[in-house]
């Protein structure tokens, strides 16, 4: 019996010594599998986890604020927008009820998006119907920020930083001045279009090819434990050369998560088919 015990101990010792000479990969995949691989999740993985977490609930509510400034010849035109937004993912729908303030006057704004169809009403004007793509400058959907950031990560079209602080992942994307191809600048330029139309209405010629991005920053805050989206901040500005001088456009937008939304988003009563 002593010989058997000695043999077993010797075999165990050989196995331990052999493991010491094995690579970490061999230890993981071989007989020992001593410990799992531990690594920090990538930015792409965190964004995908956050999108998946959002979809686990029927929908979410957000409080959105946006400020726009157009500066020309040291004169500034500004407008503000505040809204409560509800978004569902399956099926996709969005409802926004807000207020636009410009030159001291305020107007209500209602927007409903169901699938690819959008319905917009400003003040007492009649409802305007368009596609989701056509209304993209009116749709302030915070969940879209994650889609855009994920695309920018894949395109490598922005400079990203990610830190974990106070229980949150803080992800920052920045673009250099000039022209930067990619989804973030393209969407920022789309937001610029209404202001360009305003300049043309004033009789000011604008060549889109000469418009220069001055600054761009987007920051998202994600709960590091639950992966729930907490807030989105987007800031950008453009320099617009015109025959009478350079015009500067600035936009700042913040969105804060209000909580889970469990209702169903439907068409406004006045847009529903009338019963026969």
């Amino acid at each position: 019996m002593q010989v058997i015990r000695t043999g077993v101990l010797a075999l165990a010792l050989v196995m331990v010594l052999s493991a010491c000479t094995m690579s970490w990969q061999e230890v993981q995949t071989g007989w020992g599998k001593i410990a799992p691989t531990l690594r920090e999740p990538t930015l792409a993985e965190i964004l995908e986890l956050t999108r998946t977490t959002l979809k686990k609930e029927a929908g979410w509510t957000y409080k959105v604020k946006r400020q726009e400034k157009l500066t020309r010849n040291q004169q500034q035109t500004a407008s503000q927008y505040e809204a409560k937004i509800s978004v569902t993912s399956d099926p996709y729908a969005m409802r926004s009820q807000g207020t636009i303030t410009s030159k001291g006057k305020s107007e209500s704004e209602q927007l409903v998006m169901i699938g690819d169809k959008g319905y917009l009403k400003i003040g007492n004007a009649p409802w305007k119907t368009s596609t989701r793509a056509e209304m993209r400058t009116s749709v302030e959907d915070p969940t879209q920020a994650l889609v855009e950031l994920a695309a920018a990560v894949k395109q490598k079209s922005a400079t990203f930083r990610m830190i974990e602080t106070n229980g949150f992942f803080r992800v920052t994307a920045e673009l250099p001045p000039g022209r930067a191809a990619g989804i973030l600048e393209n969407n920022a330029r789309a937001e610029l279009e209404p202001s360009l139309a305003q300049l043309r209405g004033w009789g000011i010629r604008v060549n889109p090819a000469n418009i220069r991005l001055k600054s761009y920053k987007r920051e998202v805050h994600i709960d590091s434990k639950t992966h729930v989206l907490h807030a989105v901040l987007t800031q950008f500005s453009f320099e617009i050369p015109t025959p009478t001088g350079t015009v500067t456009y600035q936009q700042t937008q913040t969105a804060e998560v209000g909580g889970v939304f469990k209702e169903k988003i439907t068409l406004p009563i006045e847009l529903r088919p009338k019963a026969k």
Side-chain angles (χ1 to χ4, degrees), residues 61-259:
T61 61
Y62 302 90
K63 184 179 180 181
V64 173
K65 292 183 179 181
R66 183 184 68 217
Q67 185 178 63
E68 294 177 282
K69 293 180 182 179
L70 198 63
T71 305
R72 171 176 170 252
N73 297 332
Q74 298 183 340
Q75 293 184 336
Q76 191 176 89
T77 302
S79 65
Q80 294 181 332
Y81 170 79
E82 293 189 23
K84 180 181 178 181
I85 295 175
S86 303
V87 183
T88 61
S89 58
D90 188 19
Y92 175 80
M94 190 190 80
R95 181 175 66 208
S96 171
Q97 295 176 304
T99 303
I100 302 170
T101 303
S102 179
K103 297 180 180 179
K105 296 181 179 180
S106 296
E107 280 188 308
S108 63
E109 182 192 86
Q110 299 178 64
L111 188 147
V112 177
M113 186 75 60
I114 298 178
D116 189 49
K117 278 196 172 183
Y119 308 86
L120 176 66
K121 181 178 175 64
I122 298 177
N124 295 321
W127 284 92
K128 176 184 175 182
T129 304
S130 295
T131 66
R132 185 177 176 184
E134 290 169 339
M135 282 191 171
R136 63 178 176 169
T137 58
S138 299
V139 176
E140 309 294 349
D141 181 356
T143 60
Q144 187 64 22
L146 296 174
V147 177
E148 294 169 6
L149 285 178
V153 169
K154 190 174 181 180
Q155 295 171 349
K156 298 181 180 179
S157 57
T159 300
F160 288 93
R161 295 193 308 275
M162 181 174 69
I163 61 172
E164 185 176 0
T165 178
N166 297 326
F168 289 93
F169 289 119
R170 192 170 70 188
V171 179
T172 304
E174 292 184 286
L175 297 176
R179 288 195 68 93
I183 189 169
L184 297 180
E185 182 175 355
N186 289 341
N187 287 353
R189 285 180 177 270
E191 293 280 347
L192 179 62
E193 278 303 319
S195 292
L196 295 182
Q198 184 178 17
L199 290 175
R200 296 185 188 105
W202 293 341
I204 300 173
R205 291 177 295 159
V206 177
N207 184 349
N210 294 334
I211 297 173
R212 178 180 180 271
L213 180 71
K214 189 176 180 181
S215 64
Y216 183 98
K217 177 182 177 181
R218 170 169 287 173
E219 186 171 294
V220 297
H221 296 179
I222 300 167
D223 190 296
S224 58
K225 292 183 179 179
T226 64
H227 292 100
V228 168
L229 179 64
H230 180 70
V232 180
L233 166 67
T234 305
Q235 296 175 310
F236 58 86
S237 63
F238 285 95
E239 290 181 342
I240 309 167
T242 74
T244 57
T246 299
V247 176
T248 301
Y249 172 85
Q250 298 169 281
Q251 184 181 126
T252 300
Q253 180 173 294
T254 59
E256 296 181 355
V257 175

Side-chain angles (χ1 to χ4, degrees), residues 27-44:
V27 171
Q28 283 187 299
T29 57
W31 61 269
K33 202 164 188 179
I34 293 174
T37 302
L38 298 177
R39 65 172 180 81
E40 293 294 328
T42 65
L43 173 56

Side-chain angles (χ1 to χ4, degrees), residues 9-30:
L9 290 172
L11 177 60
L13 181 60
V14 169
M15 292 173 72
V16 171
L17 291 174
S18 297
C20 292
T21 62
M22 294 168 72
S23 69
W24 176 242
Q25 185 176 8
E26 289 172 330
V27 171
Q28 283 187 299
T29 57

